[in-house]
Amino acid sequence: MRKRNMMRLLIACVSAATLAGCAALPGPACLPPSQPMLAAELAFGRNIGDRLGVSDAEFTRFTAEEITPRFPEGLTVVDGAGQWRDSERGAIVREKAKLVTLVFAEDPAKRAALSAIAEAYKQRFKQQAVMISVRPSCVSF
């Protein structure tokens, strides 16, 4: 009987240790000096209707007013060209774009800030969509 109880206790301890490891899975395995973070990319179309409508100056002002206050640690802006299907017209639209890359530690407030930035851009410049892509990344500065 005593041997059976010892065996049950041993099984319970092993099970508890195994399950505890499942509670918090590790992030990406980063080599030092890199740290696990999130990398977000936002793609902002610049057409309004069928013409370029968001100038470089307007995008710079948008960045200063909407993106920088939410991500003061820094960002990267790159000029691009893209295409997407306009859901209202069913047509392929090709347009100039601004790609913004942001890197941050996991934080629900930062994830919400990405959506707030996209909504502000759509309202200000009459856009249907802003692409947001977030992925785990190993980062060092």
Side-chain angles (χ1 to χ4, degrees):
M1 186 72 150
R2 184 175 164 152
K3 193 173 186 179
R4 183 180 282 170
N5 286 342
M6 290 284 279
M7 189 58 113
R8 285 183 185 164
L9 180 60
L10 179 60
I11 291 171
C13 288
V14 170
S15 296
T18 302
L19 292 175
C22 294
L25 296 175
C30 297
L31 297 174
S34 296
Q35 299 290 322
M37 299 185 86
L38 296 176
E41 185 174 72
L42 291 84
F44 299 91
R46 297 180 61 196
N47 283 2
I48 297 178
D50 291 327
R51 289 180 279 158
L52 181 64
V54 182
S55 69
D56 285 336
E58 288 172 311
F59 192 83
T60 298
R61 189 169 35 261
F62 177 82
T63 300
E65 294 171 0
E66 299 291 343
I67 303 174
T68 300
R70 292 177 171 100
F71 292 91
E73 297 81 14
L75 57 97
T76 301
V77 178
V78 177
D79 288 321
Q83 71 178 41
W84 64 287
R85 181 176 299 281
D86 181 328
S87 61
E88 292 177 1
R89 297 184 295 171
I92 297 293
V93 176
R94 291 171 182 84
E95 64 185 315
K96 290 184 177 183
K98 292 287 188 178
L99 303 174
V100 176
T101 302
L102 302 160
V103 176
F104 54 95
E106 174 61 68
D107 178 356
K110 292 290 189 186
R111 285 182 179 261
L114 296 173
S115 295
I117 290 166
E119 287 305 314
Y121 190 81
K122 289 190 290 188
Q123 288 179 7
R124 185 181 296 194
F125 298 112
K126 299 174 181 64
Q127 299 294 301
Q128 289 180 7
V130 171
M131 184 206 72
I132 301 172
S133 172
V134 180
R135 65 189 176 285
S137 187
C138 293
V139 179
S140 64
F141 295 99

